Amino acid sequence: MKGDRQLRKRCAAIVRDLPMPVPFDARTLCETVAARRGRPIRLVPMDGLTGVCGLWVATAATDLICYEQVTTPPHQEHIILHELGHLLCDHNRGAAALGAHELLPDLDPEMVQRVLGRAGYTSEEEREAELLASMIREQARSSGHGTLTGRLHAALADDGDG
């Protein structure tokens, strides 16, 4: 298991490399990460995810981040960032599709490369994804990207008065 210091360093390096949207928004961050990777990320709200709050499903062409729909917006954002953390850390590479058909019946099982729910990760991967999600939020807050002031600054900067 990675030491806490090594885990923090790895997550900090990933966060430093992320282009934080202004104002901060997890959905916009996913779009930016997708564009950088050249691979779409689709956010899928789901009601009643059993045993998990979120799920990362990698198909041949798209990454799906499923998140619990029946929860608060801040919790939804955290779930999205957590699953994005698994994606950014490339956790569970090559894992088999675990019950994809039951969770996403409209998704062709042949197209699923991996389904990664919380039960499919090691505790180290969970710690890393959770830490990364928290560090992304902290970076957004500390740089003003997620604050009212940051949002006002971004709006004023985009007003065209240059």
Side-chain angles (χ1 to χ4, degrees):
M1 189 147 106
K2 292 180 188 172
D4 285 346
R5 175 178 264 157
Q6 184 181 2
L7 188 65
R8 281 191 145 316
K9 279 178 80 170
R10 176 170 153 75
C11 288
I14 292 169
V15 170
R16 260 192 317 275
D17 193 40
L18 285 176
M20 292 292 181
V22 177
F24 181 78
D25 178 75
R27 288 158 177 79
T28 304
L29 179 61
C30 287
E31 291 169 9
T32 304
V33 168
R36 271 184 151 192
R37 295 172 73 228
R39 182 176 162 82
I41 296 173
R42 194 171 120 223
L43 299 177
V44 182
M46 297 183 76
D47 186 7
L49 285 172
T50 306
V52 296
C53 293
L55 187 70
W56 167 32
V57 179
T59 69
T62 305
D63 286 300
L64 305 173
I65 293 180
C66 305
Y67 61 94
E68 180 58 56
Q69 181 174 309
V70 184
T71 190
T72 65
H75 189 218
Q76 288 176 353
E77 179 178 86
H78 188 79
I79 294 165
I80 291 167
L81 292 175
H82 180 98
E83 298 307 326
L84 183 64
H86 284 300
L87 183 150
L88 290 168
C89 295
D90 202 25
H91 287 160
N92 242 350
R93 295 175 68 179
L98 306 170
H101 187 67
E102 290 77 25
L103 291 169
L104 301 165
D106 296 332
L107 193 61
D108 179 2
E110 298 288 319
M111 297 297 293
V112 176
Q113 293 177 332
R114 57 184 154 185
V115 175
L116 303 175
R118 295 250 159 96
Y121 297 115
T122 67
S123 60
E124 182 177 324
E125 289 169 335
E126 278 302 317
R127 283 180 52 229
E128 188 170 41
E130 192 65 19
L131 179 59
L132 186 54
S134 296
M135 289 177 84
I136 289 169
R137 280 300 306 150
E138 183 56 35
Q139 175 65 26
R141 276 191 207 107
S142 68
S143 62
H145 293 162
T147 65
L148 176 59
T149 304
R151 289 191 299 272
L152 287 172
H153 177 72
L156 292 172
D158 290 339
D159 72 359
D161 290 341

